[in-house]
Amino acid sequence: ETGVTQTPRHLVMGMTNKKSLKCEQHLGHNAMYWYKQSAKKPLELMFVYSLEERVENNSVPSRFSPECPNSSHLFLHLHTLQPEDSALYLCASSQDPGGKKLFFGSGTQLSVL
Amino acid sequence: QKEVEQDPGPLSVPEGAIVSLNCTYSNSAFQYFMWYRQYSRKGPELLMYTYSSGNKEDGRFTAQVDKSSKYISLFIRDSQPSDSATYLCATIQGAQKLVFGQGTRLTINP
């Protein structure tokens, strides 16, 4: 395994479901990120973890709950989502403190019905 | 006003053409500028980054920053079908917070 791995690649869920997205990085980086990518909109930063501590929560609704148990793993727990939450959710990691060079996973394409 | 503005395209050019991709930004305090490339069904990957004004060249790619007009450009010479992707410009708003443009979808036709 190399780089940043995200599972599942695709997820369809109802508004009452609870699901989790998983991200694992094999690069030895110390910062991990969740981004949301919607059609025709810029990438939106959701959460940043540095050395396993959350350093950024970009006004994300509480129905999204991140978890970073160690520097290699990052989760995004989802519950009672809305159809407008359908998007590509991207995980990234970085080593440099400024976060200029991000390494992204391939994303989880989420559809909320 | 959006912090980074980018024409979403799509942009379609013949193979071998010179491609120019552009973004504008709003805050003159921004210092670092990045270009990411995103292939279909993949995450973005860093292509190039520059600091402050000037040019940076890497093979067929040249990144250019004009801080006086808050304008950043990416030029692709001798474009290839494998360059077909979405190109995202980005800058750093604060510690560990990248701000992205909307992305320009580029197609190079053989």
Side-chain angles (χ1 to χ4, degrees), chain A residues 14-71:
Chain A
M15 290 191 285
T16 58
N17 292 158
K18 290 184 180 180
K19 297 287 185 183
S20 295
L21 310 184
K22 179 183 176 182
C23 176
E24 184 174 2
Q25 59 100 356
H26 309 273
L27 301 168
H29 291 165
N30 57 26
M32 297 188 77
Y33 309 73
W34 280 115
Y35 276 87
K36 177 183 178 182
Q37 189 173 35
S38 305
K40 300 182 180 178
K41 293 177 72 175
L43 276 167
E44 299 172 56
L45 178 64
M46 299 176 72
F47 301 104
V48 181
Y49 277 82
S50 179
L51 298 172
E52 301 156 44
E53 289 197 21
R54 192 191 306 180
V55 297
E56 180 80 32
N57 178 347
N58 205 25
S59 303
V60 178
S62 59
R63 57 185 183 269
F64 295 90
S65 175
E67 179 189 1
C68 187
N70 55 61
S71 60

Side-chain angles (χ1 to χ4, degrees), chain A residues 9 31 33 35 37 40-43 45 48 50 55-56 58 90 97-102 104-106, chain B residues 2 4 32 34 36 38 41-46 49 88 92 94-103:
Chain A
R9 290 296 307 273
Y33 309 73
Y35 276 87
Q37 189 173 35
K40 300 182 180 178
K41 293 177 72 175
L43 276 167
L45 178 64
V48 181
S50 179
V55 297
E56 180 80 32
N58 205 25
L90 290 160
K100 296 184 290 297
K101 188 171 183 178
L102 298 183
F104 284 88
S106 294
Chain B
K2 292 180 184 176
V4 180
Y32 287 94
M34 283 68 70
Y36 280 78
Q38 184 174 19
R41 291 184 294 278
K42 295 286 188 182
E45 58 177 337
L46 181 66
Y49 78 85
L88 305 139
I92 296 182
Q96 297 171 318
K97 186 170 182 178
L98 286 189
V99 178
F100 286 86
Q102 189 175 341

Side-chain angles (χ1 to χ4, degrees), chain B residues 66-100:
Chain B
D66 181 348
K67 293 205 76 180
S68 62
S69 56
K70 298 182 198 161
Y71 200 79
I72 56 177
S73 302
L74 178 70
F75 299 97
I76 307 174
R77 292 185 301 280
D78 187 25
S79 55
Q80 305 293 310
S82 58
D83 296 326
S84 299
T86 297
Y87 289 80
L88 305 139
C89 60
T91 185
I92 296 182
Q93 185 181 51
Q96 297 171 318
K97 186 170 182 178
L98 286 189
V99 178
F100 286 86

Side-chain angles (χ1 to χ4, degrees), chain B residues 13-38:
Chain B
V13 301
E15 183 175 356
I18 296 175
V19 177
S20 173
L21 302 167
N22 308 293
C23 292
T24 58
Y25 62 94
S26 59
N27 190 334
S28 57
F30 293 153
Q31 296 281 8
Y32 287 94
F33 303 92
M34 283 68 70
W35 284 96
Y36 280 78
R37 177 175 63 193
Q38 184 174 19

